[in-house]
Amino acid sequence: MFRQMSIFAWCLMVMGLGALTWFVVWLVRRERYLKSLRERGWTFVGSPVFAAVARLSNPPFGIGFTRSPDDQIIGATSQGRPFQVIEYRHEHWGGWVGMVTLSRRLPELWITGGQTQPRYGVMATMVPVPAQLGAGWTVGVQEPAFATDVLTAQVCEQLYAMASGQPGLNLSIDGDQLVVLDPPRKDAELLAPWLEQLAAIAAAIDAAPLDRWVQPEHEARLTFYQHPDWYWIGEDDLLLQTTPVTRSGHGHSTSEVIRGRDGDGPPFVAFTHHWKTTRTETSTDSEGRTTTRTVTEHHSEAMLGFQLPVRMPWLQVGRRGLSSGISFESEDFNRQFGIFAQDKKFAYDVIHPRQMEFLMANPPSSFQIVDDWVWFNPGEHSHPLVAHNSRFLRAFLAGIPRFVWRNLGLPDSPYPQA
């Protein structure tokens, strides 16, 4: 027994010495690495503030609600162009990103070459690749004419030069930043020429005649990809007093609150509501002794509401359940949907034949109109679901006839057909 304990203690000591040795080696290497950065005049920031990436809105930035910047290197290239290399994570991606500053804020542009995958969440139109780049490249934009203007012969030459000798190049324009994934950040001797090559691309873009494409400056805040009018709040427990959250339980709170709107659609608020319930459990063991304990359970629900410009009669739209609700002239629609309303005539006016076709072609999350709000039951609080329901509701409201809006006191439909 004593011998076994001695062997166990010896093993623990060896493991401890191994862990200590590994830590010392890691510490020495890290200090050498930080020294190599300082010698170049660069600054290493172990815990950067979110402002470091707040103005960036294109993937990998601008996606999701949980975003985490980490280790950061900042400095300037040999020509004085500011750069940063930063570790960044969100719900669907994590890695390192390098970027240099452009002289103007420009529309989004996506260029990939070699062995690299498209970025998560990007929505772009693929356009023909300039002949100077050749095969193996893809180019995506929102405005095809911008790709023509920005991809000059000089820019293509610099892109090709940077991609040479690398397995792949994944580059984008995000406002006034030229952004590339997977910089060689572990070795300053490799990172420095990589940044110089990126700066050369930026210089070629700056030299291109792009003034007509200059974008307005945006407020430095957490932004959302392709939703410039969404903004992050975080917590706002006053919402618990004015929204139809679950009232039972205790310890109510909000998180991940965002507000905004899409174009001329109705403004919205979206958040997660948290609360707790407590119950008492009593159990008896084999000897007849009784034990009582308190069990606390944690709950959450996604809340998504859109504010209307006028109060409306109550109306609920959802998938058909045990009760079918109001019967409409389309049997196919009746089999799929359950419509309930305070005013049947209002329901028939709103859910007309073309609206039924729209609903069957675009089945929504269940929702209900309550006074001047439309409340959805999205099931989860996510960036894509908020965007989807925002687009759906704008189209649904556009399908409401003009006479309905006039009967409600408005001069015309506030949401004209696109």
Side-chain angles (χ1 to χ4, degrees):
M1 184 68 170
F2 177 76
R3 177 180 177 79
Q4 290 178 339
M5 291 180 63
S6 298
I7 294 174
F8 180 72
W10 173 255
C11 290
L12 285 177
M13 184 175 67
V14 170
M15 291 173 62
L17 287 173
L20 180 61
T21 301
W22 178 88
F23 176 75
V24 170
V25 170
W26 174 85
L27 200 62
V28 170
R29 288 180 176 175
R30 181 177 175 82
E31 183 53 39
R32 287 177 181 171
Y33 174 69
L34 296 180
K35 182 173 181 292
S36 71
L37 301 181
R38 291 192 295 268
E39 287 173 346
R40 295 180 177 275
W42 301 349
T43 301
F44 179 85
V45 182
S47 299
V49 297
F50 196 84
V53 294
R55 294 172 64 248
L56 297 160
S57 61
N58 297 339
F61 311 101
I63 297 289
F65 304 139
T66 304
R67 311 180 190 182
S68 304
D70 205 340
D71 291 352
Q72 177 193 38
I73 305 166
I74 53 177
T77 65
S78 62
Q79 299 301 313
R81 190 176 294 270
F83 76 82
Q84 73 165 317
V85 176
I86 191 166
E87 187 177 10
Y88 183 81
R89 297 184 181 278
H90 60 70
E91 292 99 319
H92 307 283
W93 184 87
W96 283 80
V97 188
M99 65 197 80
V100 298
T101 301
L102 298 167
S103 63
R104 297 162 288 189
R105 291 185 59 84
L106 298 172
E108 62 181 275
L109 173 76
W110 309 92
I111 301 175
T112 60
Q115 301 173 16
T116 185
Q117 297 296 317
R119 300 188 197 180
Y120 176 89
V122 170
M123 295 178 286
T125 300
M126 296 297 109
V127 296
V129 176
Q132 295 95 324
L133 287 179
W137 293 81
T138 61
V139 177
V141 286
Q142 298 299 315
E143 296 284 348
F146 175 62
T148 302
D149 289 353
V150 72
L151 292 177
T152 63
Q154 291 77 13
V155 171
C156 290
E157 179 182 349
Q158 295 299 334
L159 284 168
Y160 193 83
M162 185 169 188
S164 299
Q166 297 187 37
L169 180 64
N170 194 318
L171 176 144
S172 68
I173 292 177
D174 190 342
D176 63 353
Q177 298 295 305
L178 187 62
V179 181
V180 180
L181 301 188
D182 302 321
R185 47 89 187 177
K186 292 184 178 180
D187 188 341
E189 293 297 322
L190 298 177
L191 182 59
W194 186 90
L195 288 166
E196 296 298 328
Q197 289 180 315
L198 186 58
I201 299 175
I205 292 174
D206 284 348
L210 301 173
D211 285 348
R212 73 186 182 104
W213 294 106
V214 172
Q215 304 292 295
E217 184 69 38
H218 295 301
E219 183 180 348
R221 64 186 185 191
L222 189 147
T223 56
F224 293 85
Y225 177 52
Q226 294 197 350
H227 298 282
D229 295 324
W230 292 18
Y231 57 98
W232 174 266
I233 294 174
E235 298 179 0
D236 183 2
D237 288 351
L238 290 176
L239 288 167
L240 301 173
Q241 303 173 20
T242 58
T243 59
V245 296
T246 299
R247 302 293 176 186
S248 60
H250 60 93
H252 295 264
S253 65
T254 60
S255 70
E256 299 176 338
V257 180
I258 60 171
R259 288 184 180 271
R261 69 189 306 168
D262 288 308
D264 64 351
F268 71 83
V269 61
F271 60 97
T272 300
H273 167 223
H274 307 273
W275 74 99
K276 305 172 187 176
T277 56
T278 303
R279 69 177 193 274
T280 300
E281 289 187 352
T282 302
S283 60
T284 304
D285 63 19
S286 59
E287 298 181 1
R289 291 185 296 238
T290 300
T291 302
T292 300
R293 68 187 186 109
T294 299
V295 178
T296 299
E297 295 181 332
H298 298 260
H299 311 271
S300 66
E301 62 183 348
M303 302 296 298
L304 173 60
F306 295 82
Q307 189 168 24
L308 300 172
V310 66
R311 293 169 69 93
M312 286 184 165
W314 179 80
L315 175 72
Q316 179 175 300
V317 177
R319 307 298 289 180
R320 178 170 177 169
L322 297 177
S323 178
S324 59
I326 299 173
S327 180
F328 292 82
E329 60 188 57
S330 170
E331 289 303 320
D332 287 343
F333 182 80
N334 291 333
R335 280 192 292 269
Q336 295 182 48
F337 289 90
I339 309 296
F340 300 85
Q342 180 183 30
D343 181 339
K344 278 192 176 183
K345 182 182 182 306
F346 176 74
Y348 287 129
D349 289 342
V350 171
I351 312 295
H352 50 79
R354 288 183 60 187
Q355 193 80 285
M356 285 185 248
E357 292 177 4
F358 169 72
L359 288 168
M360 288 189 288
N362 304 274
S365 306
S366 62
F367 67 91
Q368 56 181 314
I369 299 173
V370 184
D371 295 329
D372 57 345
W373 282 85
V374 179
W375 289 99
F376 281 81
N377 183 20
E380 67 177 47
H381 182 44
S382 73
H383 181 161
L385 277 176
V386 172
H388 171 77
N389 286 311
S390 178
R391 290 191 298 269
F392 163 83
L393 182 61
R394 173 61 177 80
F396 176 83
L397 295 173
I400 296 177
R402 296 167 69 182
F403 76 85
V404 174
W405 296 106
R406 289 171 179 166
N407 290 342
L408 293 169
L410 297 182
D412 205 344
S413 170
Y415 308 106
Q417 289 281 358

